[in-house]
Amino acid sequence: MRLLRFPGEAPAWTALLPRSQPAWLLPRRAWPTERLARKPSRVACLQPAGFFGVLAMLMLVGGTALAQGPTYGIGTTPTEENIRAWDISISPTGEELPPGRGTPEEGALVYRQKGCAGCHGREGKDGRAPRLVKREAEPSTDPWDLGRILPIRAPYATLVWDYINRGMPLNREGTLTADEVYALTAYLLFINDVIPDDAVMDAKSLPKIEMPNRDAWAPLPDWKPGMPRLQGYPY
Amino acid sequence: MGSTRPDRRRFLKGGAALASGLTVGAVEPALGQLPEPSTFIKGSDEMVAYGERSRFVTSVRIAHPPDNRPSPDEFGLVFHVASPLQDSVGMITPSSLHFVGTTRGSFVPEIDPREHRLMIHGLVDRPLTFTMEDLRRLPSVTRPHFIECAGNRSSPRHTTVQETHGMTSCAEWTGVLLSTLLKETGVKDAGKWIVAEGVEEVKGASSIPMEKAMDDCLVAYGMNGEAVRPQNGFPLRLLVPGFEGIFNSKYLRRVKVVDRYYMTYNDYGHLNREPERAALGYQIGPKSVITFPSAGQQLPGRGFYEISGLAWSGGGAVGKVEVSTDGGRRWMDAEIQGTAHRMAHTRFRYQWNWDGQQTELLSRCTDELGQVQPTRAQVAEFFNAPGVPGQDNSIQPWRIASDGSVHNAIT
């Protein structure tokens, strides 16, 4: 599909936007500094603001309901395998978790075999790398006061799995099998008193773990363009 | 510098008043260096191929925070590195002096741009993979943007503006708007967030609201007129203008469109108990600092000085900068250099005659949204807590002692 474009103006595909597009897909007001930099022109409707404005009006009056298609036809389609190989983002509900399983006991072994202990110390303390086990504390202690230790502060256990999988062991990332990552996660959760020693971690059980900080964090504000950072903040 | 050539010694003597950085103007006219053949730099292949700064300009970055973690550390990981703002002029930070921040200590991946790919997938109509060549074919934009680290906070222990404010920089970035790419893939209705991931070992991924992704995020391959530097994300970096530094994923290789906040390791690092602190650590607030004169510098005597500094805001363009030369009693409008760009450092200037008395210099930024930079006392009062909770955008006072020495005046 080839569409005509005004040089330097909004691509003509914007005319094809269906009416039901969410607000953020609508053409945005011109970038103010670019508007400032441009000499005043008498062809006002060719200025981005005016051009977009007219478009927006046209769409309100009776926009075409064409599906949005690619404009430039550049880029290639990855295969399902490509995507699976690259997609290492594990959501809080764990959809992306691969098959596999592990227990704290197996994890304790992997922790030594894979060199974790060499950097983080035996049982996650007294190593050169950050501590991985909370300090002794009353059971009533606010989890926020147990230190910045991933397997205790993370709101979701899936994050511990995700981090070990993508980032550890340092310098040899990507060398752990899924079973090993499940086992290491189980071990670290166990030494932090999050799970019992007989718990089995897999794609089903891991997302179900109630981390102490699960709901104890403040969600971010619903961000909109041109929004002050905190409503009601006087500065 | 071990040279004993008399011409150089004479120059260095004259220039010694200002310890490092730009020595322009520090040399008294009578001692001005006359060009003699022996003082010319001989041409070399390197000079022809890729220029170098003068060896008399010695301004460098430093590990940050200065009293904390060594960089590189015992694993060879480099943590934060701060830019020498005290020597900066204009609004652009040279790429070599751009600050560097990492989620945790990190190695810089060596990426062959011919092998590099950017994949966009998840809740999209058509997942797509782009090569660097593909991206170069797409419509591009060039915009100046600052990036500031959330850890850029002033402390009474800091003795220079590099230590108090050096974790911000501003470069001119060139690339393809992320919205261009997302329109190419199409976004499903449920796609409310993106996760942007890089190549390095923790693959610094952050959750970013779709509104922001479609607003002004930039997939940048260019920085200050050349390719993005390795420490800044070569070959591809995501710019998330006005958001904290950590959102600006380096070595960008994957954008996943998702339906919710994904709680990545970066997101985890941002978590806060209190909603106010969480909100204030998201979009950078209005901020400014006087870079000359600033702590550690020495005024040679009373008389005229052009006060100069940088202002910026994650909320948009800088609207106004005010300067006080009497500790905050009176505030005067500073001159803004050229056009104030959105989410970019903006240079301000103010003409000042120093009477030789002890005083304090302050600057205050108001952005296009009307957000005003607060004092430390105001922030502490709002939170009913000591210090500056959330991202620190408080007013920085510099004390000028009667002997002309300049000091950090926060307590």
Side-chain angles (χ1 to χ4, degrees):
Chain A
M1 172 170 48
R2 296 202 52 198
L3 294 163
L4 278 178
R5 253 181 90 189
F6 297 112
E9 301 296 352
W13 60 261
T14 44
L16 301 178
L17 281 175
R19 256 191 305 177
S20 61
Q21 284 298 323
W24 50 259
L25 266 182
L26 290 177
R28 225 174 83 71
R29 74 197 145 86
W31 193 257
T33 52
E34 281 162 16
R35 200 163 46 200
L36 280 176
R38 205 168 289 157
K39 287 242 170 63
S41 157
R42 272 187 286 155
V43 203
C45 73
L46 287 182
Q47 295 292 318
F51 176 73
F52 285 163
V54 170
L55 266 183
M57 268 161 55
L58 283 177
M59 287 187 304
L60 281 175
V61 179
T64 40
L66 283 178
Q68 199 187 341
T71 309
Y72 306 104
I74 290 176
T76 48
T77 305
T79 64
E80 280 300 316
E81 271 143 57
N82 291 154
I83 296 177
R84 226 173 305 120
W86 272 33
D87 187 6
I88 54 168
S89 305
I90 310 295
S91 89
T93 41
E95 294 89 83
E96 301 91 342
L97 282 170
R101 65 184 292 288
T103 63
E105 203 183 329
E106 289 158 6
L109 195 65
V110 180
Y111 185 81
R112 266 175 282 131
Q113 285 169 346
K114 292 287 167 177
C116 317
C119 286
H120 291 282
R122 286 181 55 211
E123 304 192 342
K125 56 175 183 248
D126 307 324
R128 297 173 297 156
R131 211 185 147 96
L132 298 177
V133 62
K134 68 179 181 189
R135 285 167 213 287
E136 288 301 316
E138 295 292 310
S140 60
T141 309
D142 184 330
W144 280 97
D145 297 328
L146 294 173
R148 202 195 138 157
I149 289 160
L150 188 67
I152 189 79
R153 183 176 281 190
Y156 308 111
T158 47
L159 173 55
V160 183
W161 197 100
D162 174 298
Y163 182 81
I164 296 172
N165 179 55
R166 70 172 66 213
M168 288 293 141
L170 189 70
N171 285 342
R172 280 171 288 125
E173 299 87 18
T175 55
L176 300 172
T177 65
D179 283 347
E180 285 167 344
V181 182
Y182 279 114
L184 287 164
T185 306
Y187 171 66
L188 293 181
L189 293 174
F190 166 68
I191 61 173
N192 281 289
D193 298 333
V194 179
I195 57 169
D197 61 354
D198 59 353
V200 179
M201 290 298 107
D202 59 25
K204 283 231 152 49
S205 60
L206 191 67
K208 292 212 188 91
I209 291 169
E210 284 282 333
M211 296 297 286
N213 248 345
R214 185 158 187 130
D215 301 310
W217 51 279
L220 287 169
D222 205 9
W223 189 91
K224 297 274 178 297
M227 192 183 85
R229 45 187 198 148
L230 174 62
Q231 292 294 345
Y233 188 58
Y235 315 113
Chain B
M1 290 189 232
S3 167
T4 51
R5 278 180 304 176
D7 49 291
R8 251 194 90 206
R9 268 221 310 263
R10 203 169 58 205
F11 176 85
L12 286 175
K13 238 166 106 188
L18 286 184
S20 70
L22 292 161
T23 51
V24 180
V27 186
E28 286 191 41
L31 292 176
Q33 189 184 29
L34 293 173
E36 294 164 27
S38 64
T39 64
F40 290 123
I41 302 169
K42 234 174 126 201
S44 64
D45 289 349
E46 291 74 32
M47 268 175 67
V48 171
Y50 199 85
E52 257 185 26
R53 64 181 181 175
S54 161
R55 65 194 163 101
F56 298 109
V57 179
T58 54
S59 192
V60 289
R61 299 184 298 195
I62 54 170
H64 179 92
D67 45 6
N68 191 359
R69 174 172 176 163
S71 203
D73 71 4
E74 57 181 306
F75 299 105
L77 301 174
V78 170
F79 195 51
H80 294 350
V81 179
S83 185
L85 296 189
Q86 64 276 17
D87 303 320
S88 71
V89 293
M91 58 174 278
I92 295 293
T93 313
S95 301
S96 305
L97 297 177
H98 198 285
F99 92 89
V100 182
T102 67
T103 317
R104 31 158 255 183
S106 65
F107 303 110
V108 172
E110 184 146 66
I111 299 170
D112 179 346
R114 286 166 305 189
E115 302 295 318
H116 192 74
R117 300 285 182 275
L118 169 64
M119 182 168 88
I120 302 185
H121 71 113
L123 296 171
V124 297
D125 299 325
R126 297 168 294 277
L128 284 174
T129 303
F130 300 94
T131 62
M132 293 301 295
E133 212 172 39
D134 291 338
L135 294 172
R136 287 283 185 145
R137 289 171 58 188
L138 288 164
S140 62
V141 297
T142 294
R143 291 171 182 173
H145 283 309
F146 77 83
I147 302 178
E148 181 178 16
C149 174
N152 203 25
R153 43 179 53 250
S154 186
S155 128
R157 294 189 310 278
H158 294 161
T159 56
T160 65
V161 67
Q162 184 165 17
E163 294 178 2
T164 59
H165 288 73
M167 293 298 286
T168 182
S169 292
C170 181
E172 187 198 75
W173 300 94
T174 297
V176 182
L177 284 172
L178 181 56
S179 59
T180 302
L181 302 177
L182 287 173
K183 285 165 189 164
E184 212 55 17
T185 61
V187 173
K188 293 197 194 302
D189 283 348
K192 296 286 184 257
W193 293 82
I194 62 162
V195 175
E197 180 185 88
V199 172
E200 90 284 23
E201 73 275 17
V202 254
K203 303 171 182 78
S206 294
S207 300
I208 298 164
M210 184 58 80
E211 295 251 12
K212 183 67 179 173
M214 296 306 282
D215 187 41
D216 57 2
C217 288
L218 180 58
V219 175
Y221 46 74
M223 175 184 188
N224 291 338
E226 60 179 354
V228 175
R229 292 285 176 94
Q231 286 184 305
N232 298 298
F234 181 82
L236 210 55
R237 177 177 206 168
L238 182 67
L239 266 281
V240 186
F243 276 31
E244 265 182 16
I246 197 170
F247 288 92
N248 299 256
S249 297
K250 298 174 188 173
Y251 324 108
L252 185 71
R253 72 158 189 187
R254 194 165 68 90
V255 170
K256 181 175 183 177
V257 176
V258 297
D259 57 355
R260 69 206 120 133
Y261 193 61
Y262 237 47
M263 194 59 76
T264 65
Y265 187 68
N266 282 5
D267 297 338
Y268 157 78
H270 258 94
L271 292 188
N272 254 296
R273 254 181 290 206
E274 297 83 11
E276 291 82 8
R277 294 191 192 200
L280 292 181
Y282 195 31
Q283 177 175 304
I284 300 280
K287 192 162 175 179
S288 69
V289 68
I290 294 170
T291 53
F292 177 80
S294 60
Q297 291 173 334
Q298 172 73 41
L299 301 185
R302 65 183 61 193
F304 178 79
Y305 292 92
E306 181 187 77
I307 294 174
S308 164
L310 293 168
W312 62 97
S313 173
V318 168
K320 167 169 89 163
V321 182
E322 297 156 289
V323 164
S324 173
T325 57
D326 59 5
R329 272 184 291 281
R330 283 173 309 146
W331 290 91
M332 276 77 62
D333 281 353
E335 178 202 338
I336 292 211
Q337 163 62 49
T339 304
H341 295 268
R342 306 189 73 220
M343 295 85 158
H345 281 180
T346 302
R347 178 62 63 177
F348 64 88
R349 303 193 167 103
Y350 183 77
Q351 304 200 346
W352 179 51
N353 257 301
W354 183 42
D355 59 10
Q357 303 293 309
Q358 167 162 319
T359 189
E360 265 180 34
L361 304 184
L362 290 70
S363 66
R364 178 166 70 191
C365 167
T366 304
D367 69 14
E368 66 172 87
L369 301 178
Q371 302 183 108
V372 184
Q373 185 178 8
T375 62
R376 295 173 72 81
Q378 285 170 324
V379 179
E381 195 187 342
F382 177 84
F383 282 101
N384 194 18
V388 182
Q391 178 249 349
D392 180 0
N393 69 325
S394 63
I395 290 174
Q396 173 67 51
W398 301 125
R399 182 166 50 82
I400 314 287
S402 52
D403 66 359
S405 57
V406 189
H407 308 268
N408 181 357
I410 66 171
T411 45

